[in-house]
Each structure stands twice: as C-alpha cells, then as structure tokens.
Amino acid sequence: MTRKPHEQDSPDAKSPVHVDELSKRIIEQLQQDGRRSYAAIGKAVGLSEAAVRQRVQRLLDSGMVQIVAVTDPLQLGFLRQAMIGVTVSGDVQEVADRLAELPEIEYVVITAGSFDLLVEVVCRDDDQLLEVINRRIRSLESVTGTETFVYLKLRKQTYAWGTR
C-alpha cells in the first residue's frame, strides 16, 4: 500500500520511539536542512554517522518524522490558499476522513470551539476554491456550515517546533 503524503496514522498505530535530547538535536538538524548528511549531523551532535543513520531510520519508521520537500504554492501556480472552518452534525471523524481524501485539502484538524474542523486548501485560483467549498465540502451531508479565511499574505511558516 502506498502512503499518501496527507495521511496521518493515529498516535498508537506505530511503536513509540524514545526521543531523548540527542534525537531532538538530530531532528533540529534535519529541520534546518532535510538534505544534511548523516556525517554532518553526527559532527554537530557528537555521534557517529552510523548512529545518526540508525536514529533517523527509527524516527522515520515510527512515523514521528517525515523528510519532505516543502514548496511555495504561489511559485507552483497555486494562487489561492485558505483555511476553512467547518461545522458538522453527526460524526466529525467520518467527515474529517472524507475531507482528508480530497487532493486540494492539505490539512485537516478536528477542533473544539466555533468549528468542528479546520481544513487548509491550496487551489489554482478562486474558481477552484469555489468548486472545493461548494461542491466538495458543503455537499457532504453532515456539513452544516463553513467559513472561509482567504490567505492574503504568508508572514511566517516554520517547521521547527517539537524539540525545544
């Protein structure tokens, strides 16, 4: 079975990995540059290349870490990004799973508060955004409402959390 980039396993789906200070320092190195060599990481954290390779492989196998290329949607021709708050009647997890299957949706989180779900979409243009909201999200039987927050400008996006 091929793993899709947007799929996330439940926290207990894989065996837990002990994350000590050395592993956190390795993760920090990879957050700065996911292409950094094991030798360079080992030098920075005081481990051998083989020890770093082994630790990184455990982190990857556990699902705790993914090494991916992060793109700028604007430079790839995706001119519209938005966060959509979704209210649901019925099974929120079922709706979240259905929304996670949509290729335009990059992020799905179940929330507490004004919305049951928050979903982030990346679209070519406003026509595609309208299609996603109107025909793909609002058409789901359990969806009772949406509120769309269109991104005007991205000021900060980091992936350095989780180790400090």
Side-chain angles (χ1 to χ4, degrees), residues 13-27:
K14 298 190 184 236
S15 55
V17 172
H18 175 69
V19 183
D20 60 12
E21 286 306 311
L22 272 174
S23 291
K24 287 180 182 181
R25 290 176 55 206
I26 291 169
I27 293 168

Side-chain angles (χ1 to χ4, degrees), residues 91-118:
D91 189 340
V92 173
Q93 292 183 21
E94 181 180 314
V95 174
D97 290 344
R98 296 211 27 218
L99 291 174
E101 294 173 0
L102 300 178
E104 300 88 354
I105 293 178
E106 299 297 323
Y107 174 83
V108 178
V109 63
I110 298 171
T111 64
S114 300
F115 302 105
D116 298 304
L117 301 168
L118 289 175

Side-chain angles (χ1 to χ4, degrees), residues 67-163:
I67 300 172
V68 299
V70 178
T71 61
D72 179 350
L74 286 174
Q75 291 187 38
L76 291 173
F78 294 95
L79 304 177
R80 181 59 66 216
Q81 291 178 267
M83 184 67 70
I84 303 170
V86 180
T87 53
V88 173
S89 67
D91 189 340
V92 173
Q93 292 183 21
E94 181 180 314
V95 174
D97 290 344
R98 296 211 27 218
L99 291 174
E101 294 173 0
L102 300 178
E104 300 88 354
I105 293 178
E106 299 297 323
Y107 174 83
V108 178
V109 63
I110 298 171
T111 64
S114 300
F115 302 105
D116 298 304
L117 301 168
L118 289 175
V119 298
E120 184 177 39
V121 297
V122 177
C123 298
R124 289 182 309 278
D125 52 30
D126 287 336
D127 289 336
Q128 186 183 23
L129 177 60
L130 178 60
E131 168 77 19
V132 170
I133 294 168
N134 195 42
R135 293 207 171 104
R136 316 277 306 275
I137 297 174
R138 289 182 180 161
S139 67
L140 294 177
E141 187 176 318
S142 297
V143 172
T144 60
T146 63
E147 185 172 347
T148 303
F149 303 91
V150 173
Y151 296 3
L152 298 177
K153 187 171 216 153
L154 180 63
R155 298 300 289 179
K156 181 178 181 179
Q157 181 173 2
T158 67
Y159 298 96
W161 38 266
T163 58

